[in-house]
């Protein structure tokens, strides 16, 4: 049953009503705790954290408002969904509760169906909100992790953010939406994560790399893929991390894949990555103008890059999106990866 494992707390001084509510919700599979007033409810909350609270307003000892405020001061109570029960016609109650920040009201007597629907929809909304917040926090954590590479090297500042923005602009030009764009975003954020293993002196080196140093650098796609392989949430990022240095004509690395053997997400990030590398100042070359970098991408269609992706990039350029992103980050000097 879908409600199993969800704990509700009912706070109501009327014994019959309290038991009636409890029976209805228990029948739906919820675990239901009950208390006769706010004080008793707070005591129960020391042992159990309910997922949702339904509380009467007028009660002895501690009324619904005082209880609501007490719950919101508890660290674990800040976000618990809260539904007030109010007698018909108590409009002032509704207003006062709204001012406190309670979102939901049920008017007594509550038909069983309405009660169950209100509880379930409140829980669903709360879980959606929680998930959205978690994803936001997750993405911020990933970006911070990816930026960990940049912190070691002043030349790489902003590279992750710009490549991610260019990548999404290309994805949107291809008509991608929703989860497909999200997966693309994670891959772009993490594409160079494997560089975390590369010695700083190599990353910062302005002169030509030795054979050994180059061998070290070209390991970063496989090392990065290895780093995230046990995180199921990031499974879609792996092909991007692994294959963002492959070339359409088969002369890239690490696997010398060609054409459509290269995952399309990686073909997109490749364009974004090179465009950014060219239009940013790096230790071993000064920046192209954005127009020069754009020309280079167009001229490499069918050799380095997938023509379909280059077309999408061109559409994003023509809509002004690419220039907008470049201008926004213009003040950051960047990265030292040898040109892909
Ligand atoms: Fe890379
Ligand atoms: Fe890169």
């Amino acid at each position: 049953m879908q409600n199993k494992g969800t704990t509700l707390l009912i706070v109501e001084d009327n014994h019959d009503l309290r038991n009636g509510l409890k029976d209805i919700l228990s029948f739906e599979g919820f675990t239901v705790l009950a208390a006769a007033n706010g004080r008793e409810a707070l005591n129960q909350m020391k042992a159990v954290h309910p997922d949702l609270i339904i509380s009467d307003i007028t009660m002895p000892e501690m009324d619904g408002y005082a209880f609501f405020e007490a719950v919101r001061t508890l660290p674990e109570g800040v976000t618990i969904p809260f539904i007030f029960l109010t007698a018909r016609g108590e409009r002032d109650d509704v207003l006062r509760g709204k001012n406190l920040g309670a979102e939901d009201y049920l008017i007594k007597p509550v038909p069983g169906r309405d009660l169950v629907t209100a509880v379930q929809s409140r829980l669903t909304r709360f879980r959606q909100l929680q998930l959205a917040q978690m994803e936001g926090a997750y993405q911020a954590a990933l970006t911070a992790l990816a930026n960990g590479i940049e912190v070691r090297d002043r030349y790489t500042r902003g590279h992750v953010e710009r490549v991610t923005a260019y990548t999404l602009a290309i994805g949107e030009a291809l008509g991608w939406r929703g989860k497909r764009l999200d997966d693309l975003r994670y891959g772009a954020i993490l594409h160079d994560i494997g560089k975390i293993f590369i010695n700083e002196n190599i990353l910062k080196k302005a002169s030509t790399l030795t054979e050994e140093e180059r061998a070290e650098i070209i390991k970063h796609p496989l090392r990065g893929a290895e780093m995230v392989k046990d995180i199921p949430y990031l499974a879609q990022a792996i092909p991007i991390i692994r294959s963002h240095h492959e070339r359409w004509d088969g002369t890239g690395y690490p696997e010398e894949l060609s054409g459509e053997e290269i995952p399309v997400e990686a073909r997109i990030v490749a364009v974004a990555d090179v465009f950014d590398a060219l239009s940013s100042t790096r230790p071993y070359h000064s920046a192209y103008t954005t127009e020069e970098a754009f020309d280079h991408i167009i001229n490499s269609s069918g050799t380095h890059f997938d023509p379909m992706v280059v077309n999408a990039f061109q559409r994003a350029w023509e809509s002004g999106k690419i220039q907008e992103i470049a201008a926004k980050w213009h003040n950051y000097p960047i990265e030292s990866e040898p040109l892909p």
Side-chain angles (χ1 to χ4, degrees):
M1 193 176 244
Q2 61 160 335
N3 299 323
K4 209 161 180 285
T6 303
T7 303
L8 310 179
L9 173 58
I10 295 169
V11 192
E12 166 62 62
D13 59 327
N14 181 306
H15 176 269
D16 292 341
L17 182 53
R18 186 168 70 236
N19 283 344
L21 295 171
K22 190 173 174 179
D23 287 347
I24 294 169
L25 293 165
S26 301
F27 182 76
E28 294 294 323
F30 292 107
T31 303
V32 186
L33 308 171
N37 60 62
R39 176 115 18 246
E40 209 181 296
L42 282 178
N43 266 332
Q44 295 215 22
M45 287 178 68
K46 285 178 188 157
V48 183
H49 297 164
D51 297 292
L52 179 144
I53 296 170
I54 302 166
S55 174
D56 187 20
I57 293 172
T58 314
M59 295 179 289
E61 294 267 345
M62 180 187 266
D63 71 10
Y65 298 128
F67 173 56
F68 178 79
E69 287 185 287
V71 167
R72 287 295 185 245
T73 62
L74 299 172
E76 71 278 10
V78 178
T79 58
I80 297 180
F82 205 103
I83 300 176
F84 273 127
L85 287 175
T86 169
R88 192 174 292 281
E90 291 179 51
R91 295 199 64 201
D92 288 350
D93 279 352
V94 174
L95 287 176
R96 187 168 163 201
K98 284 219 160 118
N99 284 338
L100 284 176
E103 307 90 338
D104 284 305
Y105 287 84
L106 288 173
I107 295 172
K108 294 191 273 191
V110 189
R113 259 294 107 205
D114 290 3
L115 175 71
V116 173
T117 307
V119 166
Q120 275 167 342
S121 67
R122 193 72 192 82
L123 283 170
T124 305
R125 234 189 311 154
F126 176 67
R127 282 170 188 150
Q128 283 166 344
L129 192 75
Q130 259 189 329
L131 194 71
Q133 283 170 341
M134 241 178 59
E135 280 181 356
Y138 199 69
Q139 218 172 288
L142 285 182
T143 306
L145 174 66
N147 281 333
I149 319 160
E150 301 190 17
V151 170
R152 300 196 302 156
D153 175 1
R154 68 190 175 84
Y155 289 102
T156 64
R157 282 192 64 198
H159 178 63
V160 168
E161 282 88 349
R162 283 189 309 270
V163 170
T164 304
Y166 294 137
T167 296
L168 291 176
I170 299 171
E172 280 165 12
L174 286 168
W176 291 18
R177 301 279 176 271
K179 168 133 174 41
R180 209 161 181 206
L181 276 188
D182 283 340
D183 291 341
L184 196 56
R185 174 184 289 118
Y186 290 134
I189 291 174
L190 295 172
H191 77 278
D192 274 341
I193 194 77
K195 279 185 171 180
I196 213 136
F197 297 103
I198 300 175
N199 185 301
E200 260 170 67
N201 298 327
I202 304 180
L203 280 181
K204 285 181 181 161
K205 197 169 173 190
S207 51
T208 317
L209 296 173
T210 65
E211 210 34 57
E212 262 171 31
E213 288 165 340
R214 187 176 148 75
E216 190 59 24
I217 290 225
I218 66 173
K219 283 183 196 157
H220 79 270
L222 288 179
R223 281 174 160 177
E226 180 70 15
M227 273 176 80
V228 303
K229 77 171 196 313
D230 294 324
I231 308 173
Y233 197 76
L234 295 178
Q236 309 300 325
I238 294 174
I240 297 177
I241 300 171
R242 181 205 298 272
S243 303
H244 72 278
H245 285 286
E246 300 289 358
R247 294 177 179 231
W248 184 250
D249 62 10
T251 61
Y253 64 86
E255 296 168 287
E256 296 184 6
L257 302 177
S258 67
E260 290 180 1
E261 285 174 353
I262 309 165
V264 62
E265 295 83 359
R267 286 179 251 147
I268 295 172
V269 172
V271 169
D273 192 26
V274 174
F275 178 77
D276 186 60
L278 290 173
S279 55
S280 314
T281 303
R282 297 191 173 209
Y284 44 83
H285 77 87
S286 56
Y288 284 26
T289 63
T290 44
E291 286 74 17
E292 287 166 343
F294 172 75
D295 288 343
H296 176 89
I297 299 292
I298 300 296
N299 293 334
S300 308
S301 177
T303 51
H304 191 156
F305 306 118
D306 174 359
M308 188 263 302
V309 174
V310 173
N311 280 338
F313 178 75
Q314 185 165 6
R315 290 197 294 278
W317 173 273
E318 281 159 6
S319 74
K321 261 200 189 140
I322 301 295
Q323 300 88 318
E324 207 176 284
I325 297 162
K328 185 174 162 201
W329 294 92
H330 188 64
N331 295 325
Y332 290 95
I334 346 290
E335 150 167 36
S336 56
E337 178 182 344
L339 288 180

